[in-house]
Amino acid sequence: MLALPQWMLAAGFIRNLAWDRLHGTDASPFTDIDLIYFDPTDLSRETERRFEAKLRVLAPEYPWSVKNQARMHLRNGDKPYSSALDAMGYWPEKETAIAVSLSPDGAAMGDNSLIVEGCGIVFSSAFGLESLFQLQLTPNPKRPLTLFNHRLRTKGWLYTYPRLQNSSHKP
């Protein structure tokens, strides 16, 4: 359909599904569904908008957000990323750096990938899956702690998911 290189559904959409399940609650309303990909040959925001428009035609009931991770280093002031998974390693919270994709050949995207045998579903994370399933919320040391704290306040995660533990307070 879209034929995007290194495409994955990622970030809060996947993280919140895990937290909802671990809290025994219904799925939270989607604020957006992040589809990420990695194409260093086209860093245009307009291309991302075209993909969002295509997705809105295919599935208009969902709030799509498409981001080429090859472009995001420019916005974030980082060195160029080498892959979608590398870019996820710069996201503000470790538990947000999770994604899922389909891999018909069963190939993993990186060392921190978990493949569901027989169906081609691949879970990828820049930091592993343990802290997500242990209900931790961990700042990424590559980002300012003030950004993590701002997102913690504005997103309301500790209210929505009361069993979460803020790992930034650990010694």
Side-chain angles (χ1 to χ4, degrees):
M1 256 185 261
L2 299 180
L4 296 171
Q6 296 183 36
W7 74 270
M8 296 185 257
L9 295 176
F13 169 68
I14 303 298
R15 181 205 58 224
N16 289 358
L17 288 174
W19 286 349
D20 289 336
R21 181 71 174 176
L22 292 167
H23 277 81
T25 61
D26 293 333
S28 301
F30 304 138
T31 54
D32 62 9
I33 298 177
D34 295 294
L35 187 146
I36 66 169
Y37 68 102
F38 192 83
D39 182 0
T41 66
D42 182 355
L43 303 183
S44 149
R45 177 66 183 116
E46 185 53 41
T47 299
E48 295 170 354
R49 288 188 190 109
R50 279 195 306 272
F51 287 128
E52 286 174 352
K54 287 180 183 180
L55 286 167
R56 280 193 300 274
V57 168
L58 292 170
E61 65 276 20
Y62 298 114
W64 295 103
S65 173
V66 177
K67 297 285 186 292
N68 181 359
Q69 297 301 292
R71 180 181 70 79
M72 299 311 290
H73 73 283
L74 299 169
R75 183 186 81 172
N76 297 332
D78 297 325
K79 65 178 177 49
Y81 306 135
S82 61
S83 67
L85 192 59
D86 180 42
M88 290 168 55
Y90 288 82
W91 292 1
E93 311 84 32
K94 290 183 176 185
E95 293 73 23
T96 301
I98 182 171
V100 65
S101 60
L102 296 176
S103 178
D105 61 0
M109 295 260 188
D111 292 339
N112 286 325
S113 293
L114 171 69
I115 300 169
V116 180
E117 294 294 327
C119 62
I121 297 173
V122 178
F123 289 90
S124 299
S125 172
F127 300 101
L129 301 172
E130 296 81 15
S131 65
L132 175 72
F133 293 117
Q134 292 171 353
L135 294 169
Q136 298 295 308
L137 191 52
T138 314
N140 184 341
K142 294 177 184 173
R143 292 287 175 240
L145 187 57
T146 53
L147 174 60
F148 173 83
N149 288 332
H150 171 76
R151 287 172 56 85
L152 194 60
R153 276 191 317 276
T154 60
K155 301 278 186 180
W157 293 319
L158 297 177
Y159 174 78
T160 305
Y161 303 106
R163 293 177 47 216
L164 285 179
Q165 298 296 309
N166 179 351
S167 297
S168 71
H169 297 305
K170 291 187 177 179

